[in-house]
Structure formats: structure tokens, C-alpha cells
Amino acid sequence: QKEVEQNSGPLSVPEGAIASLNCTYSDRGSQSFFWYRQYSGKSPELIMSIYSNGDKEDGRFTAQLNKASQYVSLLIRDSQPSDSATYLCAVNTGYNQGGKLIFGQGTELSVKP
Amino acid sequence: KAGVTQTPRYLIKTRGQQVTLSCSPISGHRSVSWYQQTPGQGLQFLFEYFSETQRNKGNFPGRFSGRQFSNSRSEMNVSTLELGDSALYLCASRTGDDTEAFFGQGTRLTVV
């Protein structure tokens, strides 16, 4: 079982729609969770962090965390063509070994005008 | 505040050579992690250093090594380069566990 898994995509949504990106993780002890956006040819940039169960909103982005289900999601409301990118879920794991930040494979999002 | 700086940005090396990549973290960040990114494998964890100590290592051969200096700057070294080592190498810095990590621009390594 992979430590962090994401929908492989690609995910295509029309402009103005809600894009939903999902992520599951294997380490029940994980305490911190992050979403990154990566444009083609660029390095990942942090867009959201979440530490507690529930929802966290930042502008058009909402991160959702359910530790019991070991599930993290990212919702993008009013999707814009500029949101077209690969979205990476990252989970801090392996605390008994000092901790490490592990990434999912990423979900490619395409927002069509 | 300066971001994470990686040098060089691009490298072309020949099979069998070795290479050293450098990463300067954000001021005050003591943790530096290295990742290899390829189209087929995504972001693969190489290792993490914290206060000059390697805390974690991913599933890479011993040809991949690293170190961290007292000023938190880090280097990674790849010896006996193989064609499959061609990738984007990214470093990320953070203050510690459970904190947000920020990436440098990466070093694009091409092995020919």
C-alpha cells in the first residue's frame, strides 16, 4: 500500500465548476497534511495546510480532513483556467523515524473555458 | 525574506560521472528534504536532514547521498550517474516536523 494515494486523473471540469481532489494516507499517526499546486515545468507551491478534522477555507480553496477515514480532500470553487495544474497531496508521516513529508502521485486538473 | 535557493538550475552530465547539487534553505529553517521528480514516478523522497543529521532516507541506492552544514545549507551527491538518474531534483525547507515546507526552483539533471 502506498503511503499517500491520489486519484490519478486527469480531472477535467468546466470553468466556474467545483473541482474535487481526493487523497488517502496509510499512517494513522499522521498529524499534518498539505496541498501543493505544480504548474508544468515549475516547482510545487504550497496552497493549503490542515491539521484538524473538518474543513479549512482559504478563498476559493477548501481543504477537508477526516483522520478516522484517513482521507484528505481539496475543493476548488469557481474553477478558473489558471487553476489548471497538477495538485499534490502531502502527508507528514513516519514520526517514529523522525518524520518525513511524503507526496502522492498528483492529480492533473484541467479547467476548460 | 529569501526563498529556497537551489544551484545549479540545469546540469548535463555523462554516465559514470558524479554530481553535487546545493540547496540553501529559508533563513531559520533547520530541516531540508530532497526529492527526485520524474514523469513516471512523481515526487520521490530521497532524504531529510535536520540540524546536520540525516533523519530519514527513502528507497534509493547508496549512490545517492547528502549532508547538511551548520548553516543549514545542504548538498546532495549522486555518484556513478546512470541514464535513469535524469530528473528534476527538488529540495524543500521547513522549520521542523508538521510545519509547512517550501520548495526551491529545482535542479534539472540530464544524464547522457
Side-chain angles (χ1 to χ4, degrees):
Chain A
Q1 182 187 6
K2 288 186 177 178
E3 291 176 288
V4 181
E5 294 199 66
Q6 295 183 245
N7 293 2
S8 57
L11 174 65
S12 182
V13 300
E15 184 174 355
I18 295 175
S20 177
L21 305 161
N22 304 314
C23 173
T24 58
Y25 60 95
S26 61
D27 184 354
R28 282 198 168 276
S30 292
Q31 298 294 322
S32 54
F33 309 86
F34 309 90
W35 284 99
Y36 288 78
R37 176 175 62 198
Q38 186 175 26
Y39 292 111
S40 181
K42 302 292 187 182
S43 60
E45 59 175 321
L46 178 71
I47 51 174
M48 290 283 287
S49 59
I50 187 166
Y51 299 89
S52 304
N53 280 329
D55 295 359
K56 179 182 178 183
E57 188 173 315
D58 184 359
R60 295 186 295 111
F61 298 96
T62 299
Q64 299 174 315
L65 174 61
N66 184 326
K67 290 183 181 179
S69 300
Q70 295 174 244
Y71 177 87
V72 194
S73 67
L74 180 71
L75 299 177
I76 306 174
R77 291 182 301 281
D78 187 24
S79 295
Q80 301 297 309
S82 59
D83 294 326
S84 297
T86 296
Y87 289 80
L88 300 162
C89 171
V91 178
N92 207 61
T93 184
Y95 291 89
N96 60 342
Q97 300 165 341
K100 55 185 178 181
L101 190 62
I102 299 300
F103 286 78
Q105 291 284 90
T107 299
E108 184 181 348
L109 172 66
S110 176
V111 181
K112 304 294 186 185
Chain B
K1 197 172 188 181
V4 180
T5 303
Q6 289 188 247
T7 55
R9 292 290 310 277
Y10 303 93
L11 267 178
I12 300 176
K13 290 286 188 178
T14 304
R15 272 183 303 172
Q17 287 186 313
Q18 74 166 23
V19 66
T20 299
L21 312 181
S22 178
C23 174
S24 293
I26 292 171
S27 178
H29 286 195
R30 296 165 66 189
S31 166
V32 173
S33 297
W34 287 90
Y35 297 86
Q36 180 194 67
Q37 188 173 37
T38 57
Q41 297 296 317
L43 261 170
Q44 299 291 304
F45 174 77
L46 279 156
F47 27 66
E48 178 181 11
Y49 287 86
F50 185 86
S51 294
E52 301 180 66
T53 300
Q54 186 182 92
R55 293 200 305 174
N56 261 300
K57 192 177 192 312
N59 294 325
F60 279 83
R63 300 185 297 107
F64 292 81
S65 63
R67 59 178 175 169
Q68 186 179 34
F69 302 96
S70 58
N71 62 357
S72 294
R73 189 178 71 85
S74 178
E75 289 181 347
M76 69 161 281
N77 184 276
V78 188
S79 63
T80 319
L81 284 165
E82 301 177 359
L83 295 179
D85 296 334
S86 295
L88 179 65
Y89 290 88
L90 292 158
C91 83
S93 78
R94 52 182 180 168
T95 53
D97 282 347
D98 294 321
T99 60
E100 297 171 338
F102 298 91
F103 282 87
Q105 293 302 302
T107 295
R108 172 77 61 185
L109 172 65
T110 302
V111 182
V112 297

